[in-house]
């Protein structure tokens, strides 16, 4: 592998995988544990307890060895039966995934399709719920990572509860980044993943179920084997997992959770809020516009100006010429937006580095930006917010 030059020192500002804290990286250097051993059970018992704080729940948070999509699939195959009607909220690529997953297992999704960059209008949801009272659940994202839009999770949970439907929340880029109290808001299923705000590599998914959601598992008839949540719950009760877990990732998770506890959820949310505000101020100062109607504390989605020839090259120039990795758009947003991520182990100077690199890149492409304009606007925010 090519040794990276200091002129291309890698910076990762993508919505997953995200950069890892040094102490998490070194946690992976520990000797592996056997998973059917008292040492593992001690580790797992602690991790299971510590993660409840991040989910803000008293319920068991199941830890699965797969990415977030695996937990999304598990929620479908364990809670529903073929022919069940569900309401899916499609505000982007991940909302669309709920629709595709539902169809894959024979459910009948009623999809609310939202223009990219817009959030869910709760009046619209109420209308769809009223017209489909036989639906079993509402499936949505707390944060739609593909557009950087926050959805009204608390309101959605309430609408679902009032209509006696389940609320299934993909919180993969929300958990640990902004406030999402599962129990207080009465969410039935909350799903998260490891490589986003949780600060560990890809390979673990987390899923917590309310009592109502556990009841639904009693009547579900969709076949499943590997993703058997009842079997996992039983194994978890004995500080075990049904199958061989990703032991090393769980060792890293222990350290990541320790860091989250040490920072405190409130401080963590404030930090994400500040980083997002500074990023927005920075890109606006460069004359760019946001895509998102309700921008998120996790990811900032920015429109590439239509007048900018070769604008779609922004992410590749940033990465290949300067070493800074951000994300572009997906599907219909390919070439139309860039996404700068600021969740997980990200601080002020990661943001100023990302913005400085964007200034250079825009100038390379002929979009004249006064050097320091974006960085300066971000520094203004950091100085005003005074989090230190
Ligand atoms: C990353 C992500 C997922 C899961 O994707 P995986 O490729 O399975 O990790 C699901 N939903 C959202 C909102 C995400 O950001």
């Amino acid at each position: 592998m090519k040794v990276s030059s200091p002129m291309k020192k890698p910076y990762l500002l993508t919505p997953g995988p995200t950069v890892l804290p040094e102490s998490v990286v070194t946690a992976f250097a520990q000797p592996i544990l056997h998973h059917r051993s008292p040492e593992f059970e001690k580790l797992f018992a602690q991790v299971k307890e510590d993660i409840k704080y991040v989910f803000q729940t008293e319920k068991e948070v199941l830890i699965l060895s797969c990415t977030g999509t695996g937990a999304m699939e598990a929620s479908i195959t364990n809670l529903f039966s073929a022919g069940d009607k569900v309401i899916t909220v499609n505000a982007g690529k991940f909302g669309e995934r709920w629709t595709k997953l539902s169809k894959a297992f024979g459910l009948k999704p009623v999809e609310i399709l939202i223009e990219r960059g817009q959030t869910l209008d709760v009046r619209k949801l109420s209308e769809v719920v009223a017209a489909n009272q036989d639906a079993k659940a509402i499936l949505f994202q707390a944060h739609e990572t593909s557009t950087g839009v926050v959805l009204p999770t608390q309101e959605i949970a309430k609408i679902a509860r009032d209509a006696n439907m389940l609320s299934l929340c993909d919180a993969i880029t929300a958990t640990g980044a902004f406030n999402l109290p599962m129990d207080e808001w009465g969410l039935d299923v909350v799903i998260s993943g490891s490589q986003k705000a949780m600060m560990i590599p890809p390979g673990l998914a987390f899923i917590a179920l309310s009592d109502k959601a556990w009841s639904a598992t009693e009547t579900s008839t969709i076949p499943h084997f590997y993703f058997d949540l009842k079997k996992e719950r039983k194994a978890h009760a004995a500080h075990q997992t049904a199958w061989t877990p990703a032991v090393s990732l769980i060792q890293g998770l222990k350290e990541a959770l320790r860091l989250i506890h040490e920072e405190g959820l409130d401080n963590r949310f404030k930090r994400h809020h500040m980083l997002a505000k500074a990023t927005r101020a920075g890109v606006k100062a460069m004359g760019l516009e946001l895509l998102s109607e309700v921008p998120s504390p996790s990811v900032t989605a920015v429109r590439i100006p239509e007048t900018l020839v070769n604008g779609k090259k922004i992410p590749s120039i940033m990465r290949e010429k300067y070493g800074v990795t951000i994300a572009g758009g997906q599907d219909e947003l390919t070439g139309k937006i860039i996404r700068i991520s600021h969740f997980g182990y990200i601080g002020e100077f990661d943001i100023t580095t990302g913005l400085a690199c964007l200034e250079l890149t825009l100038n390379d492409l002929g979009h004249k930006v006064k050097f320091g304009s974006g960085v300066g606007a971000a520094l203004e925010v950091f100085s005003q917010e005074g989090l230190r």
Side-chain angles (χ1 to χ4, degrees):
M1 201 182 108
K2 199 165 138 243
V3 176
S4 61
S5 116
M7 296 294 278
K8 270 208 222 174
K9 204 183 273 187
Y11 293 91
L12 194 55
L13 293 170
T14 53
T18 58
V19 69
L20 306 176
E22 296 80 352
S23 62
V24 170
V25 175
T26 51
F28 295 128
Q30 292 174 78
I32 189 114
L33 296 175
H34 191 264
H35 59 293
R36 307 294 183 210
S37 70
E39 291 77 14
F40 178 80
E41 287 175 6
K42 185 164 171 269
L43 164 72
F44 202 54
Q46 183 177 348
V47 161
K48 279 190 309 150
E49 199 48 44
D50 289 351
I51 201 169
K52 291 181 183 174
Y53 169 70
V54 188
F55 273 66
Q56 302 185 62
T57 185
E58 298 288 314
K59 303 288 170 210
E60 185 88 87
V61 181
L62 304 178
I63 300 173
L64 310 176
S65 294
C66 58
T67 66
T69 308
M72 291 170 78
E73 173 166 326
S75 71
I76 299 282
T77 59
N78 284 260
L79 270 65
F80 302 106
S81 302
D84 278 354
K85 191 192 260 190
V86 292
I87 296 169
T88 56
V89 178
N90 176 353
K93 190 179 177 66
F94 294 103
E96 183 186 43
R97 189 165 298 174
W98 274 133
T99 305
K100 286 184 175 169
L101 267 168
S102 307
K103 283 186 185 156
F105 292 100
L107 308 193
K108 296 202 162 55
V110 177
E111 183 179 81
I112 303 178
L113 184 61
I114 299 167
E115 198 190 321
R116 287 356 190 187
Q118 305 287 302
T119 191
L120 172 69
D121 178 350
V122 287
R123 283 165 310 185
K124 171 77 186 166
L125 176 63
S126 296
E127 279 168 31
V128 174
V129 165
N132 295 280
Q133 292 187 28
D134 52 338
K136 293 262 165 70
I138 304 174
L139 283 49
F140 67 102
Q141 272 63 35
H143 169 235
E144 174 52 65
T145 318
S146 66
T147 61
V149 165
V150 174
L151 284 93
T153 296
Q154 191 174 9
E155 287 85 347
I156 299 171
K158 184 173 184 326
I159 291 170
R161 198 167 51 250
D162 292 347
N164 200 26
M165 295 176 191
L166 296 169
S167 51
L168 273 68
C169 178
D170 163 2
I172 293 177
T173 46
T175 320
F178 58 89
N179 194 30
L180 199 109
M182 173 173 173
D183 292 357
E184 188 188 321
W185 288 359
L187 288 159
D188 291 303
V189 176
V190 175
I191 294 169
S192 197
S194 52
Q195 80 271 28
K196 310 288 174 93
M198 298 296 281
M199 312 187 296
I200 54 171
L204 292 180
F206 314 110
I207 178 167
L209 280 71
S210 70
D211 294 340
K212 202 165 132 198
W214 279 116
S215 312
T217 65
E218 299 300 330
T219 50
S220 159
T221 59
I222 298 179
H224 50 256
F225 183 80
Y226 186 75
F227 292 124
D228 184 334
L229 296 182
K230 279 196 278 186
K231 195 176 169 76
E232 283 296 350
R233 178 171 62 170
K234 206 168 155 215
H236 275 55
H239 309 321
Q240 274 293 343
T241 52
W243 322 113
T244 311
V247 177
S248 305
L249 290 178
I250 293 169
Q251 288 174 310
L253 176 61
K254 179 183 165 198
E255 174 58 16
L257 290 169
R258 192 191 67 74
L259 293 173
I260 295 175
H261 281 251
E262 187 178 274
E263 182 176 19
L265 275 189
D266 282 347
N267 289 334
R268 211 175 154 79
F269 299 155
K270 278 189 204 139
R271 172 169 61 83
H272 285 97
H273 168 81
M274 176 185 74
L275 297 173
K277 191 172 165 188
T279 306
R280 293 194 293 271
V283 294
K284 281 184 192 162
M286 289 181 224
L288 304 177
E289 284 171 22
L290 301 180
L291 171 74
S292 322
E293 178 189 31
V294 185
S296 85
S298 300
V299 177
T300 296
V302 184
R303 287 185 198 276
I304 296 172
E306 271 169 31
T307 50
L308 187 60
V309 188
N310 286 333
K312 62 175 183 302
K313 290 192 177 156
I314 294 172
S316 58
I317 294 174
M318 285 179 71
R319 186 180 62 245
E320 284 156 30
K321 187 168 174 189
Y322 299 109
V324 177
T325 306
I326 61 165
Q330 296 157 296
D331 298 338
E332 65 265 55
L333 290 172
T334 307
K336 299 214 165 69
I337 60 164
I338 55 170
R339 289 174 300 147
I340 304 171
S341 177
H342 27 71
F343 55 38
Y345 188 59
I346 298 285
E348 293 114 311
F349 303 115
D350 297 306
I351 299 303
T352 51
T353 299
L355 291 171
C357 183
L358 182 57
E359 290 183 12
L360 280 168
T361 305
L362 288 172
N363 278 290
D364 289 348
L365 288 168
H367 177 91
K368 288 293 167 219
V369 178
K370 186 170 174 324
F371 285 126
S373 56
V375 172
L379 291 176
E380 274 308 330
V381 172
F382 295 143
S383 145
Q384 280 160 18
E385 296 275 316
L387 272 200
R388 282 176 189 279

